[in-house]
Amino acid sequence: MSDEPTSGGSGAVPAALAEIAEDFQALPARDRLQLLLEFSDSLPDLPERYADHPELLEPVPECQSPIFLITEVDGTGPEAPVSLFFSAPPEAPTTRGFAGILAEGLDGLSAAEIVSVPADVTGQMGLAEVVSPLRLRGMAGMLGRIKRQVREKAQIEG
């Protein structure tokens, strides 16, 4: 896999997220759900500063399960690095898996890289065959909130 981002939709898919999408697409449909569950298991715990203050996190009502997220942007402008944090219950493995994909694929990238991720990137995972459209809408809702928070906190257009 090349380090170049792949195009699609409104911007470029960052290399880490494109690699995750390729991993899903390389699997038969029946194995994609298992990989999604592996991402669920790898979702990092919230740091104490958020675990003790859940009111600081934004809910994602598009998700069928209660999920909350927050971004941290170190500075302003397009080059500001971004950290992502999610709270998703263990009894919601699909939702946790989506959060795990976004955490692994986007955490640590610049604000510009994150806001340029195309909205349709969730469709590039090949998950439509194994999860409902309603659940996929939840992942798109997470991405939309991440991008909005990053734009606001980094003070960039996009």
Side-chain angles (χ1 to χ4, degrees):
M1 140 111 222
S2 109
D3 287 334
E4 293 298 311
T6 19
S7 268
S10 65
V13 177
L17 196 57
E19 189 171 323
I20 292 168
E22 287 175 8
D23 289 347
F24 274 100
Q25 292 170 353
L27 292 172
R30 67 183 182 280
D31 295 334
R32 291 177 190 162
L33 193 55
Q34 182 58 44
L35 183 56
L36 183 62
L37 296 178
E38 290 174 20
F39 277 99
S40 170
D41 292 338
S42 68
L43 182 66
D45 290 333
L46 276 176
E48 200 171 298
R49 66 187 176 275
Y50 295 124
D52 292 345
H53 295 283
E55 71 279 2
L56 298 174
L57 282 73
E58 180 177 356
V60 183
E62 294 90 344
C63 289
Q64 291 181 300
S65 303
I67 183 159
F68 301 85
L69 64 85
I70 191 165
T71 62
E72 289 180 350
V73 180
D74 189 11
T76 58
E79 298 307 314
V82 176
S83 298
L84 305 175
F85 303 97
F86 297 88
S87 171
E91 60 274 8
T94 302
T95 301
R96 281 183 64 84
F98 292 154
I101 289 169
L102 293 172
E104 187 169 320
L106 301 178
D107 190 63
L109 296 181
S110 72
E113 289 172 304
I114 290 177
V115 299
S116 71
V117 172
D120 68 352
V121 72
T122 58
Q124 296 176 25
M125 302 281 166
L127 291 170
E129 298 172 43
V130 295
V131 297
S132 71
L134 192 57
R135 290 195 182 276
L136 288 176
R137 195 178 84 196
M139 185 177 181
M142 285 184 225
L143 179 60
R145 279 173 173 65
I146 290 165
K147 291 169 66 169
R148 182 189 41 75
Q149 284 188 22
V150 168
R151 278 192 302 273
E152 290 171 0
K153 292 175 180 182
Q155 300 174 8
I156 60 175
E157 297 296 316

